[in-house]
Amino acid sequence: MVREQVRIDTRTLQWKCVESRADSKRLSYGRFILSPLLKGQADTIGIAMRRALLGELEGTCITRAKSAKIPHEYSTIVGIQESVHEILMNLKEIVLRSNLYGTCEAAICARGPGYITAKDIIAPPYVKIIDNTQQIASLTEPIELCIRLQIERNRGYLIKTSNNVQDGSYPIDAIFMPVRNVNHSIHSYGTENEKHEILFLEIWTNGSLTPKEALQEASRNLIDLFIPFLQTEEENLHFEDNKHMLPLRPSILPDKLVKIRKKKIALKSIFIDQLDLPPRVYNCLKRYNISTLLDLLNNSQEDLMKMEHFRIEDVKRILDILEKHFGLDLPKN
């Protein structure tokens, strides 16, 4: 657990993590502050961040299971202690982290007697199992159990329905939300004439994201939602009843972000493992928490060169890929 003393700086707006801990592999907690804010701003930001953290973040779940030995969902199999329904419920509890875009397949193939846990799942390398000790089934006899799994990355909820059964496979309820709970509170200080506020955010995650990662991802999603309001072109506005209004301020967004929006590229959905990078370059970027194209574009060429084991040839390779496939570039500094 990490704690830091809260200090108030009245000159510039700053955020800080004041407490961080992992209660278990599947439960992480973080407490953050943002200050100084004017009266009313803390509530505005707190409400928006809570909704973004709970509703806008993507997660990875097992959404379907299939096995030749399963006649129907509520059956039992000789040699397996749990019913099929209990096995499906256990699969629902598996916590995953991935750079997946869409869906992929995984499998379980084990022979008893013994326990089948999450470590027995054979998944693609870009899918990480957060807690390998999560139990799936108990085999009491020397039988073999093979289950094919479908893994999906999405957001919100996915509720199974009876008409979702396909070729003997069974859908699994999925809670993609990596954030389990969010609280925000406000501390006011100052004089009657000059009131200021401190926003406190408490975030609990399922371990697939740290609270800090969740906060940063939710912030990026909120910014993406508001970008169109800053890019409205003047010729598309028709205010016949307001001819004497002052013109809108021109967009203050960097040219890079304007180009990105016009091309409709979902930067946060394009992962660096899709960029055909050499394994050494890919691993180097991952060590510095660069997972998506959006993360990469937040760095300059100079930032990349500061990374351990990164060479000028690697930067040129990345620049060529960005130019060829996306028409983008990285600033030198």
Side-chain angles (χ1 to χ4, degrees):
M1 184 175 67
V2 179
R3 288 181 180 269
E4 294 186 15
Q5 184 177 358
V6 178
R7 293 184 300 175
I8 298 172
D9 186 347
T10 58
R11 295 172 296 175
T12 58
L13 191 63
Q14 296 181 354
W15 75 277
K16 181 182 294 186
C17 177
V18 294
E19 185 177 352
S20 176
R21 67 172 185 264
D23 294 333
S24 67
K25 290 183 178 181
R26 287 178 275 167
L27 183 61
S28 297
Y29 170 80
R31 190 164 181 254
F32 307 87
I33 62 169
L34 179 66
S35 69
L37 296 164
L38 298 179
K39 186 177 181 180
Q41 289 181 339
D43 205 32
T44 301
I45 298 173
I47 293 173
M49 286 303 302
R50 186 177 190 277
R51 293 183 66 90
L53 284 162
L54 291 174
E56 296 295 327
L57 299 188
E58 292 186 343
T60 306
C61 291
I62 298 172
T63 56
R64 191 171 290 275
K66 180 179 180 179
S67 176
K69 292 187 176 183
I70 300 179
H72 59 81
E73 181 179 349
Y74 297 100
S75 63
T76 57
I77 301 174
V78 176
I80 301 180
Q81 183 174 320
E82 293 83 3
S83 67
V84 173
H85 179 73
E86 289 173 329
I87 293 175
L88 295 177
M89 291 300 98
N90 290 337
L91 290 172
K92 176 182 174 180
E93 297 298 320
I94 302 292
V95 179
L96 303 173
R97 175 182 175 127
S98 78
N99 293 332
L100 177 65
Y101 184 70
T103 62
C104 71
E105 290 189 351
I108 299 172
C109 194
R111 185 171 183 82
Y115 296 102
I116 298 178
T117 62
K119 69 178 177 60
D120 296 306
I121 297 177
I122 305 170
Y126 47 81
V127 177
K128 178 183 177 182
I129 300 170
I130 300 302
D131 185 3
N132 285 326
T133 65
Q134 285 181 261
Q135 187 167 342
I136 298 174
S138 304
L139 305 184
T140 58
E141 297 183 13
I143 64 170
E144 188 176 75
L145 178 64
C146 292
I147 305 175
R148 292 174 56 189
L149 305 173
Q150 176 181 284
I151 296 175
E152 182 177 344
R153 181 180 173 91
N154 211 322
R155 66 189 183 102
Y157 298 88
L158 179 64
I159 306 300
K160 67 178 182 180
T161 57
S162 57
N163 58 3
N164 274 343
V165 178
Q166 300 174 359
D167 303 326
S169 65
Y170 297 90
I172 299 173
D173 290 339
I175 303 176
F176 294 104
M177 301 156 51
V179 175
R180 290 293 181 245
N181 193 21
V182 181
N183 286 336
H184 82 275
S185 57
I186 301 168
H187 171 70
S188 300
Y189 66 96
T191 64
E192 288 294 330
N193 296 328
E194 190 176 0
K195 282 282 188 181
H196 291 282
E197 296 178 340
I198 304 174
L199 173 64
F200 289 85
L201 272 174
E202 293 182 288
I203 303 172
W204 290 263
T205 70
N206 65 357
S208 62
L209 287 179
T210 66
K212 181 179 178 181
E213 289 174 331
L215 181 61
Q216 292 175 334
E217 182 66 21
S219 300
R220 285 194 289 264
N221 289 348
L222 280 177
I223 291 171
D224 288 345
L225 291 174
F226 285 110
I227 282 178
F229 292 108
L230 298 176
Q231 289 184 263
T232 305
E233 298 181 4
E234 193 170 338
E235 59 266 23
N236 292 333
L237 301 178
H238 304 286
F239 294 121
E240 297 181 359
D241 299 331
N242 299 286
K243 295 180 180 179
H244 303 292
M245 290 179 63
L246 292 174
L248 294 173
R249 285 181 60 189
S251 172
I252 59 173
L253 291 173
D255 291 340
K256 182 172 67 176
L257 284 182
V258 174
K259 291 179 182 178
I260 290 168
R261 200 64 186 188
K262 286 183 177 180
K263 293 183 179 183
K264 299 180 180 180
I265 298 177
L267 296 181
K268 64 179 183 296
S269 299
I270 301 175
F271 296 90
I272 61 173
D273 57 357
Q274 300 172 258
L275 302 183
D276 195 26
L277 295 170
R280 184 180 57 79
V281 177
Y282 171 80
N283 293 330
C284 218
L285 295 174
K286 290 292 289 182
R287 278 198 299 269
Y288 285 84
N289 295 322
I290 297 177
S291 300
T292 67
L293 188 56
L294 183 62
D295 297 334
L296 182 59
L297 292 174
N298 284 332
N299 291 270
S300 66
Q301 297 179 36
E302 185 179 357
D303 294 331
L304 296 182
M305 287 302 299
K306 291 179 181 178
M307 296 180 184
E308 189 178 3
H309 305 308
F310 223 83
R311 303 193 296 247
I312 185 66
E313 293 82 4
D314 303 330
V315 175
K316 290 180 179 178
R317 177 71 178 268
I318 290 175
L319 293 176
D320 290 342
I321 292 174
L322 292 178
E323 175 62 28
K324 179 180 179 181
H325 297 288
F326 307 102
L328 303 174
D329 194 10
L330 292 178
K332 291 185 177 180
N333 300 314

